[in-house]
Amino acid sequence: MEKSMKINFRLNKTLKSNIITYGIVIAAYIIVQLLVNAGQVSNLMKGLLVPICIYTIMAISLNLTVGILGELSLGHAGFMCVGAFSSALFSISMLDAIPNAGIRFFFAILIGAFFAALAGIVVGIPVLRLRGDYLAIVTLAFGEIIKNVISVVYIGKDASGLHFSTKNAMALNMAKEGTVIINGAQGITGTPKNSTFTIGVILILITLVIVLNLIHSRSGRAIMSVRDNRIAAESIGINITKYKLMAFTISAALAGVAGVLYSHNLSALTATQKNFGYNQSIMILVFVVLGGIGNIRGSMIAAVLLTLLPELLRGLNTYRMLIYAIILIVMMIFNWSPKLIDLRKRYFHKNRAEKERA
Amino acid sequence: MKKSMKKLLSLAMAIALAASLTACGSGKTSETTAAGEKAASGESSGAAASGEGSFKIGGIGPITGSTAIYGQAVMRGAELAIEEINADGGINGAQIVYNFQDDENDTEKAVNAYNTLKDWGMQMLVGTVTSAPCIAVGAESSNDNIFQLTPSGSAVDCAKFENQFRVCFSDPNQGAASAQYIGENKLATKVAIIYDSSDVYSSGIHDKFLSEAANQGIEIVSDEAFTADNNTNFSVQLQKAQDSGAELVFLPIYYSQAALILAQAKQMGYEPQFFGCDGLDGLLTVENFDTSLAENVMLLTPFAADAKDELTQKFVTTFKEKYGETPNQFAADGYDAVYAIKAAAEKAAITADMDASAICDALKTSMTEISVNGLTGENMKWSKDGEPDKAPKAVKIVNGVYTAM
């Protein structure tokens, strides 16, 4: 009797926490939609809605690797890059073949996720077998490599199909009416603008369903046991590489989905240091660290706030990057400094004690 | 207790999020004042400029980050032109208010900057400075039908839509012009190229140069690339150019790398003719650069800061006084862009109370009818597809100064 009660209670707790997480997303969506319909949202905000979705998905995805799997990935933007370019290539070459934007975008998302997952597997298979911080080193390299590789790829399309080259656009040897899709460093231009806020929110919800269900599944517990004590996990017969690879691949695929949203939100896509480079990867890691490692909800909120912040500070002009950095440092200290954690605990504790007395 | 605390916290977060969104929605007025203040601090709007009865010109470009030098030059060039116009009584009697937003040379940030300017009430856009952001912003501005004139976005797609025009040459144009110039003046028959394959500008010129070279009877004996990640040592590329017996090395790159190439070629004892495009403009201003190395380098540039004509002289003097540095070609492009808008606006007789879309429709036609005498070319005319019609000037560096050829 008592036992079943306890289990019930525990289930309820995770369920409740999950419902709150979904609830925040849905509530934010409804509020924003109402405001947009009422004409209360500026153009800047409207333009920021899709990027917010993109970075939220990236934060959730990276939190799966950093928080749940306990491995450090410093090249998450690289997976985003793979998803962005593969899906943009698909969308442009299928522009005539699949005229329906919805169906085309659906397949683009699948393709972006698939190729990012593939990249995740390729990176993961050798590296996840090792102990130590090797994943961080290899993903860091991966992010830089993929950016440079894409900068030398030329892909064109004419009547006889796709042409590939790594030299220049002329080496594609296309028929006269052929068009260059990926033009080396000049990237892809003319990707259809299919990303919308609604699709972004749906993708966030799907991401949440995948990640939260994974965490609370048998596999999820296995993954966390690997994180917490590798030797103990190994001793009870958990296949460490399998579970590590599983979490990392899912994480990469989700980053690919964010990349699809990214490439279908802007008509010009180039692989630069700015959007898919090291800085971007670190930025996403900052979302996760600030929001709380392993705390999915927290990383979502951090992603939203930190995406909005630089734009809200535009009024400060060139000082905004400085202010942004200061805010980051202050937030980091507030969240992680042991003294402040103590202080917060004492404060909350006092509150709780008072309530209990009352 | 813990649960209720968590619930409360998440509720508060959701509210905070929603509040931040509304705050931005209703924050339009505050943005306007901020922009006004900025314009005032930049002294770009005349004292008489007020919110009513003035044209709002927006600008977008990188003023922070690795390409900040270009964005800042355009911003200052345009600012200077606007000050002059405002002092002269403005466009059709209306003053100009100017608001320049940073895009960090990032497509995503550029669209954000564009949306910020739209909230501010921008009627015409001078921007963006760099190519990829320009293409991204172009898709938005054509959708909203806002007139866009890019001073320096040189990729082909920067003038893709009807509402987009540009002041500079397009990359292919420069590549073709360079090949034609070399061919027609019989500078060389064996040419080596060193270019930056990771850069849009450089690879754009390079590709067109290759295809045009064949028509000009130029033989490409060596075609070597570098990328942004390894742009400090060029000995391999130079060695290949030397071994292939090239008489001329074509450098469709920016001046900072060109300075290194010239120094390294000198060390190797390799002295071919060097030929570059407008990216080489600025070569003589590189710090700690021995300008004698640049002797006899030829470059195609629309603007030379030490040209003798009155317009350039005046521009360079005022620019130096105000910002303490010699203006480069980007500043000149920004300056010309504003004057082109002025000419087109006067031709179309637009007024400040018209909305952006109506102004765009009017300017689209009048842009093709005007002729501007600017810093980067005399009698500049624009075709319907947004390309400028002006003659490229070739200059040679002799005794440390540009000399017309």
Side-chain angles (χ1 to χ4, degrees), chain A residues 317-318, chain B residues 61-65 67-68 71-72 75 100-104:
Chain A
N317 265 319
T318 35
Chain B
I63 48 174
T64 57
T67 47
Q72 252 155 13
M75 178 177 78
F100 194 94
Q101 290 291 333
D102 185 16
D103 70 3
E104 302 167 35

Side-chain angles (χ1 to χ4, degrees), chain A residues 174-219:
Chain A
M174 282 191 301
K176 262 232 162 104
E177 70 282 5
T179 50
V180 181
I181 301 175
I182 298 186
N183 196 357
Q186 302 179 46
I188 299 182
T189 53
T191 320
K193 192 174 174 163
N194 295 133
S195 298
T196 61
F197 182 51
T198 310
I199 293 175
V201 168
I202 292 171
L203 288 176
I204 291 180
L205 289 174
I206 294 174
T207 308
L208 279 175
V209 168
I210 293 172
V211 173
L212 291 178
N213 277 320
L214 177 70
I215 293 174
H216 300 298
S217 70
R218 190 173 182 279
S219 309

Side-chain angles (χ1 to χ4, degrees), chain B residues 146-178:
Chain B
I146 290 180
F147 181 77
Q148 184 183 359
L149 176 64
T150 169
S152 51
S154 54
V156 184
D157 283 343
C158 288
K160 185 172 155 196
F161 296 104
E162 274 199 336
N163 64 318
Q164 290 179 294
F165 291 83
R166 77 170 117 224
V167 177
C168 63
F169 289 112
S170 67
D171 294 336
N173 244 333
Q174 283 206 49
S178 304

Side-chain angles (χ1 to χ4, degrees), chain A residues 22-79:
Chain A
Y22 295 127
I24 291 176
V25 176
I26 294 168
Y29 174 70
I30 291 170
I31 292 168
V32 169
Q33 282 298 348
L34 285 177
L35 288 174
V36 168
N37 288 338
Q40 281 293 307
V41 179
S42 65
N43 289 313
L44 174 64
M45 273 302 138
K46 275 188 212 155
L48 277 174
L49 291 176
V50 176
I52 285 175
C53 294
I54 295 167
Y55 293 119
T56 307
I57 295 175
M58 283 306 282
I60 298 171
S61 138
L62 186 62
N63 214 338
L64 180 61
T65 303
V66 176
I68 310 302
L69 176 61
E71 292 275 356
L72 193 55
S73 166
L74 291 179
H76 229 55
F79 297 112

Side-chain angles (χ1 to χ4, degrees), chain A residues 237-252:
Chain A
I238 286 173
N239 184 342
I240 289 183
T241 311
K242 177 188 153 194
Y243 283 110
K244 273 184 162 181
L245 199 59
M246 181 184 187
F248 188 65
T249 308
I250 292 172
S251 171

